[in-house]
Amino acid sequence: MNNKFVQNNLSEDEKIKTKSNFLRGTIKESLENPLTGALNPDDVKLIKYHGSYQQYDRDLESERKQKKLEPLYQFMVRVRVAGGVTTPKQWLVLDKLSSLYGNNTLKLTTRQSFQFHGILKRDLKPTIQEVNKTLLSTLATCGDVNRNVMCNPNPYQSLIHEEVYGIAREISNYFLPKTTAYHEIWLNKEKVSRIPDAEPIYKHTYLPRKFKIALAIPPHNDVDIFANDLGFIAIEENKKLIGFNVCVGGGLGSTFGNKSTYPRLADVIGFTPKSRVIEVAETVIGIQRDYGNRSDRKLSRLKHTIDDRGLEWFVNELNIRLGWNIERPYPYKFVSNGDKYGWLKGTNDKWYYTLFVEHGRVKNKEGYTLKKALKEIAEIHKGDFRLTGNQNLIIGNVSKNDKENIETILKRNGIINNKLTGLRKSSMACVALGTCGLAFAESERYLPSLIDKLDKIILKNGLKDDAINIRMTGCPNNCARSSLGEIGLVGRAIGRYNLYLGASHNGDRLNSLYKEMLSEENILNELEPIISIYAKEKKKQETFGDFVIRKGIIKKTNRPLQVLQ
Ligand code: SRM
Ligand code: SF4
């Protein structure tokens, strides 16, 4: 037992992990069973650690039921991309796989990963093999382990970006599970060693729950650092990276009706020199591994471990385990958690084009052939592609001579649109209905049409370029970080949403519940007068989230983040 405390009532997931033989379970057998498109129940849990979720086509659910067919089982596959940086060659492979095996779209996620949707069981292995051949992986993009490590994707104005990105990659690699199950199952590698698998960091039952790490370089908080279990905020002195402020205990998921669950921002607990980042991360993960709740998965994130025992206890335990005391945090300032669009020149004299990708869905539709455009660009591009934490894309490291070609391709495919409002360009939505089994309401497929209507209000009030950030999720798990939206909408039921207001524009303050169970008409009726007084009465540079609090429209959240001094 790797737990400091032997916990009673271990959850079903814990039992499955324990008997899984380091994440093998019977996945191999499940894949070979031709009688169903699904996996054995335990393998449905275990395959997450390998980077895939078993789902079913929710749109076809009742039709298939009527025909007495099993649901149309299909798989989501998530690709790990630390800091969101990929090469054009890798892009071409992912593009090809999404057409060959998936639903002909690529999803850029809120954590800088790629997702394929709609992969059938028989196509899982070839998909994962091809991903690995292009030197990417799906290992540990899901499951009770450290997930994709986020990092500011845009190096403009930042001399230290490459160094921080290097640390993000190092963290990502260091915390990968060490089991060889992944290689055996997906890459047909024989188990070479007779030594049994071991997980020096995670031990044999892994973590109690998912674990998320991000790194941010102020003044940009486009990774929403405070939404992570563990965050590192880069601190510069004389233009050199000296280390990081450490923040712990972020997590946004909650469950309607369960008051013990809540969104929480990470607290800033101190500073670590850059040479000790891995040591600090390993120690934080070790505390969560040993003390995290393993009986109730709704209460098992690091935020709960900290709230159960107190932040002081946590810092004390961290210092004892480290054998040195974490230092006082340095001052830092974030200005925004959004993306800056269009061309920007980097500190390396190369150009970066940030492209708005509505809710991260790369697809083709009439007059807007984004998937085709990006494939054409990947065929000629000598730089890289960088996924942002806001589901957008940066075409990076472009030389001056290639700028025009890239712009021509984007224009030819109907991608550049100067009419988009700041509201739309600051919108995020999670996948929700269609594929997500946890969704109560639409999100990605609905927010664009809601914004069409909100845009009319925005334009009438002269706010075209105001980057008010609006985020929607199909349930309170908060995958598009709606708790950090200046306007947050969370699905309650088909066509009904809770409306939240008052988050900060830089990701350091949660929003609060304004009204519940709103229809589209209600949402528009509630927001129209608020947007209109915002247009008339906002102070210079005052953001929407700050304005609604100053005017008393909503109270500030009662869960502020703490900065220990
Ligand atoms: Fe998420 C579960 C999609 C970022 C909190 N999330 C899911 C699942 C896998 C549903 C499931 O468990 O069956 C969704 C798959 C939908 C699909 O069809 O693709 C899903 N989450 C996503 C993505 C794709 C949203 C997007 O549209 O971009 C994001 C993938 C990130 C990645 O690349 O790794 C995604 N999820 C997030 C975030 C945002 C973040 O990490 O910055 C959060 C809030 C932060 C946090 O973790 O607290 C988030 N997802 C959750 C939760 C709630 C966790 C909790 O502690 O309560 C769940 C449900 C769960 O874990 O039980 C969940
Ligand atoms: Fe699914 Fe809910 Fe996450 Fe949206 S927020 S992707 S509905 S789990």
Side-chain angles (χ1 to χ4, degrees), residues 5 7 12 23 34 43 81 103 115 122 124 148 203 215 226 315 351 373 378 395 403 450 487 491 516 526 528:
F5 302 99
Q7 295 190 16
E12 214 33 56
L23 309 180
D43 298 331
V81 195
N103 65 358
Q115 277 185 192
R122 60 162 191 255
L124 265 176
N148 198 38
K203 312 296 179 197
L215 295 88
F226 303 113
V315 177
W351 288 86
I395 304 165
K403 267 180 81 188
L450 177 67
I487 301 174
E516 291 188 74
E526 292 295 341
E528 175 149 27

Side-chain angles (χ1 to χ4, degrees), residues 4 158 184-185 213 215 314 390 443 492 497 510 546 557:
K4 255 254 165 345
S158 163
E184 285 161 46
I185 296 170
I213 303 181
L215 295 88
F314 182 84
N390 290 308
S443 181
R492 287 287 301 264
Y497 296 85
L510 294 167
D546 289 352
T557 173

Side-chain angles (χ1 to χ4, degrees), residues 151-156 158 161 220 222 340 344 352 354 386 394:
C151 174
N152 293 137
N154 194 341
Y156 99 100
S158 163
H161 179 274
H220 302 292
D222 46 15
K340 299 252 173 301
L344 290 166
Y352 295 79
T354 306
R386 295 168 179 240
I394 299 173

